[in-house]
Every structure is written in C-alpha cells, then in structure tokens.
Amino acid sequence: MKKIVYTIVFLSLGVGIFHSCSEDFLDKPAYGALSDEVLADEKGIEALLIGAYAALDGQDVVNGGTVALGGGNGWEATPSNWIYGDITGGDAHKGSDGGDQPPINSIATFSADPSNGFFNTKWKALYEGVTRANAVLRLLNQAENISEQSKANIAGQARFLRGHYYFELKKMFNMVPWIDENSENTNVPNDTDIWPNIEEDFKFAYENLPSTQDDVGRANRWAAGAYLGKTYLYQDKFPLAKEIFTEVINSGVTSNGLSYGLVDNFNHNFNAEFENNEESVFAIQMVANDGTNTIGNSNQALMLAYPYNSPFRCCGFYQPTQDLVNSYRTDEANGLPYLDNYNNNPVKNDMGILSDEPFTPDTQSLDPRLDWTVGRRDIPYHDWGYHPGYDWVREQSSGGPYAPKKHIYWQYHADTYSDQSAWAPGNAINVNVIRFADVLLMAAEAEAKTGNLNTALDYVNLIRGRMADNSQHWLKDYFDPENPLDGFTQDYAANYNIERYPEGYFTSEEQAMEVIMYERRIELAMEGHRFFDLVRWGVAQEVLNNFIDYEGQITTDVRGGDFNSNDVYFPIPQRQIDLSTTADGPVLQQNPGY
C-alpha cells in the first residue's frame, strides 16, 4: 500500500488547495503527468487509490525519506499525532533538549501562533490525502468497463480515506473547508461545519465496502463502521454510536478475515512481527528495507523519538511524563487504579541520578501496561538491555527521566523490521488508527451515556481482563543482564497487580465516565489520542492546567504553560490564510483566540 510505484501519478495534483494566480502563462498542461483518459480504467484508478492510501503516513520518499508531503519535516506531519495528541495531552514531553525543534515548545505550552510551520505541514499533508481521494472518485465517475461491485468497493475505500483525512483536519482545526470530487473552485471558505460530510463518507463506506478485502491494510466495512461510530461519539450522538459499535463488536472482522478480539499479549499490538492481528481495525501500514535506500515507507515520522545516545542513535524526543507514569499506580489490595489522586503516590524515578550510580526501581503495585508503554531506569527495554536512565536521556531537566516504548523495535528482529537508511531509524511498526481496545472503550462510553452501565462495565473489564488473565505476558526480567538476547526469566520486572472492577461497580453515568476516561488513558497512552479525548469530553482546561502545575515542579519544559478555552483547536495556518486571499480579502477565517 505504499507509494513506490505510483508517485508520478500525483505530480500534477499538488499539495496546496488555494491558488490566487490566474496568469495565462501559468496555465500549461502538466506534460509529466498521466491524463484522465489513460487513468480512467480499473487499473489506472487502482493506481490512484494506492496513492490515496500512500498519503496516510503524510510522508514523501525523497531526501532520504525525511520530508512530509508538500514539504516540511516528516515528523511535522506525523500520522501518530505524537506531537498534537500526546505532548499537548500531558502524556509526553517534547524531550531532547530545550533548544531542539523549538516550534514544539510553543505547541506544548499552548502558546503557538498561526505562523508555526508545524501546523502548515500537517495541513498540507492531510489535504494532499483529500486531493488524492477526490482524484479517485472523480475519475471513477468517468470510467467504463468496471463492474458495479468494483466501483462500489473503490468508491467506498476512497470515501473512507477522505473521511479519515477530514476527521484529522476537523479534530485539529475545527472549521476547515470542504472540497470534494465535484468542487470546481478549491478556494472555498471554512464557514460550514463538516461533521455531516464526514458522516456521509463513512456511512457510504460502511454500506458499500465488503466485510473483508483481498489485501491486508485496505479499509473494509467494519473499519468504516468503527470510524462512523467514532464520528458520532465526537458529536455526542451516543445512541447512534452505541448502535454501530455493537454491530462492529458482534460481527466485525479484520481486513484479512480475523474476527475482532483482544490479543493475549498487549505488546503484540506494537511489534511488527505480529501486526495486522485480530485487534487491528485500521492501521497505517509501514515497511522497512523496501529497496529505495530511504526510510520513506517506514514509520519515519517517529524518527526523532528514540532514546538519545543509545543503539537507536537519535534523538531523545517524545519522553513520557511523570504524570502519565503515576497513572499506572494500582492499589495493592484490589489491583485498581487511584482515579482521583494518582499523583499522591508517585512512581519512583531516577531524576538527577547518573547511570553509574545506584538506583532501585519502584517496588509498589503497578499496572503491567506501564512497562509496555514507558521505558524506565533498570527495567528491561525490550531485549536491548536494562534502560540505563541518565545516559539515554538528552536533558533530564526539560524532558524527564523516561523513554517511549510502543514504537520501539526489538533487537532480535531489528535487521528485518528497522531501517537504518537515514540519520535516524525508521521501522516497520504499523500506526494503529483504530484498534479493537479503542472500539471497546468508545462503546463503553456510548453505553454509559445511554444508561447501560452494566454493559459499559463489561467492556471496561474486557480491557482490564486481558491483562489480568494473561500474566504470562507481563514484562519479565532477564536471565543474563549482560546478554539480554539470551532470554527472559519467569520473574516479573516489577510488582505488577491489576484486577477487574467488581460487578455492579458503576452506579451512575458520572462515575462510569470517570473510570472510562481513565481507562482510555492508560490503555491507549502514547498512541496520539489523549488531547483530542480531553477536548471532546470538555475537561481539557482543568486537566491540562493541573498537569502543568504538577509536571512543572519536575521539568522545566512546561513551566509557564497555560491552557485556555480557545486552545481546544489549533490555529488555521497563516500560510493557508494568505494563499486564500483574493481582492476581497482572505477566504479562510482564523479560529477564535489567535
């Protein structure tokens, strides 16, 4: 599903959507592009469709594979939203050192303005995806000799992809212009709510896509249903969300025909060897060592986010916060989290302790998901050895003591699933857009909001039960710390303790939502969801300012941050407003507060 072969098709499509120049000398045919007549058959349209999938990672295969579609650094268009969902959501620090990639500093402290180039890069990459999906739909209307079944499948996939790109734009920028395959003018105002359009795309996809696809990675009926349910949830349409989530949970299958379920080993969701398993509802497909001598088709948007001065070389960004780590504390007596006061008993860290100085990790009760999510001092970092702490952190004072883990490849298969073609690694670990655990927790939310508290509790306990029932897959210690590839012992790496909530635990919608919101954080941490969840729940201002107050006592990077009500959406990029300007002024209008 990558962009190796078909990139030439898009040379004439562009990545910007606004053009104010109309001089005749610019109006020339694109001699290097393929014409509609050539492409308007099933083979040509399939090539365009593959290109629309290729835009999912927001990256281009040029300059060693470190460039975003339309320009800018690859990480600025990250599909994992590690900057826009996790750093802004209080799950991660920028990391590295205070002076590296300074535009992220202002994003993290909610002081960014419309000139911040990261927003423009993300905008362009997403609208390139929209452009490619529209090209498929436009040519499909002209094509002949394609069966109605194939047309429905192709159109369903294209509209699913367009729905995804617009969903990302909507949750980031809110008021964005809607441009579809029938739009003659692409310089249109952003004065209309596009949720109904996104709904219609996912509805069409749900009604027209097959339950399974021949190729892994293509969207199917159930992926569209899950995304439609998510769209309803973001609009507080809880009865509609409940209905479709129930269908997906009871009937859904993956793109390669596996019935949806939770994999026994939580870490298999983040290991390229086990990708596209029964928990994968829709994932952006990544590949390493593709023969291009670039990392452009790998998970390159996270290339900055490996421990510094480590076997991964670069660059020390994306460090989990102490606030996130503390949320995995559990009660020794019942294995449940401390919902209201998890920061009152913080997990022990190694701030200020050099790697050659003694340190004993935390010995109190912890949720086992912590050590599949966060790299901690003297805890096995997959099979790379014990995380050494200080030596692998570029600047503890600004980024804290921790390292990310969910996107880190294992040493035993690094030759296959990592790509060392650039100055920092790429890897073949897919980006999970929606996994089944996410569906269950969204369904729990819809059930709680419609008064079905017992069903909501059942879904939450399915998530917790995966960990409680599969202790054989909790992180183990090493046989030989000097040779971690020799394997693991049967001893756990920490004092893990997790249990289900008791039967009848949910007694009100408010209490159920408190649990569900907490469970989403610890299950889906470092997967790009947190900020957008806080915004849609209407709690972002309180939660994030409390986070800044707490975390600012530990690190310097968030000090001075202040979240206000206008920060629920990012600013419309100033560059796009400038490009939309006509004799009557800019067509695009800025979000309030910027």
Side-chain angles (χ1 to χ4, degrees), residues 519-584:
E519 197 68 27
R520 275 191 70 82
R521 185 189 195 186
I522 56 180
E523 172 70 20
L524 302 172
M526 306 295 282
E527 297 182 48
H529 299 284
R530 180 65 172 167
F531 176 75
F532 304 108
D533 279 341
L534 293 174
V535 167
R536 69 183 179 85
W537 290 328
V539 300
Q541 187 164 3
E542 178 184 2
V543 170
L544 292 175
N545 283 329
N546 287 341
F547 160 76
I548 290 167
D549 290 343
Y550 175 80
E551 201 76 14
Q553 301 174 55
I554 303 168
T555 62
T556 60
D557 63 328
V558 297
R559 292 175 189 170
D562 181 33
F563 186 97
N564 64 66
S565 58
N566 292 323
D567 294 321
V568 294
Y569 297 109
F570 299 112
I572 305 296
Q574 187 61 47
R575 176 61 177 159
Q576 297 301 321
I577 293 176
D578 294 344
L579 286 170
S580 77
T581 301
T582 68
D584 297 323

Side-chain angles (χ1 to χ4, degrees), residues 342-478:
Y342 60 89
N343 279 331
N344 287 358
N345 187 10
V347 176
K348 184 180 177 182
N349 66 49
D350 63 316
M351 283 288 284
I353 301 174
L354 301 181
S355 293
D356 60 1
E357 295 177 338
F359 175 75
T360 302
D362 193 282
T363 59
Q364 297 183 55
S365 178
L366 295 167
D367 187 316
R369 285 173 288 189
L370 169 61
D371 288 325
W372 289 127
T373 304
V374 177
R376 299 190 291 139
R377 167 77 183 269
D378 286 346
I379 300 294
Y381 199 65
H382 293 330
D383 56 350
W384 292 97
Y386 289 128
H387 191 288
Y390 198 94
D391 284 353
W392 277 14
V393 177
R394 196 164 186 174
E395 189 176 85
Q396 271 196 353
S397 61
S398 67
Y402 301 112
K405 204 166 185 182
K406 282 185 175 178
H407 70 276
I408 302 297
Y409 53 89
W410 289 65
Q411 185 179 182
Y412 78 88
H413 60 204
D415 290 345
T416 302
Y417 296 120
S418 74
D419 197 317
Q420 308 297 326
S421 303
W423 45 266
N427 68 57
I429 300 173
N430 289 347
V431 174
N432 291 306
V433 177
I434 300 177
R435 59 183 175 92
F436 192 57
D438 185 7
V439 173
L440 289 173
L441 289 169
M442 290 190 290
E445 192 172 336
E447 296 287 353
K449 288 289 190 177
T450 52
N452 303 299
L453 299 183
N454 289 335
T455 303
L457 180 61
D458 288 344
Y459 288 151
V460 170
N461 277 338
L462 282 173
I463 301 297
R464 297 186 65 79
R466 181 245 296 273
M467 299 305 298
D469 294 344
N470 290 286
S471 59
Q472 72 273 24
H473 297 307
W474 296 352
L475 182 63
K476 305 296 200 312
D477 216 331
Y478 290 128

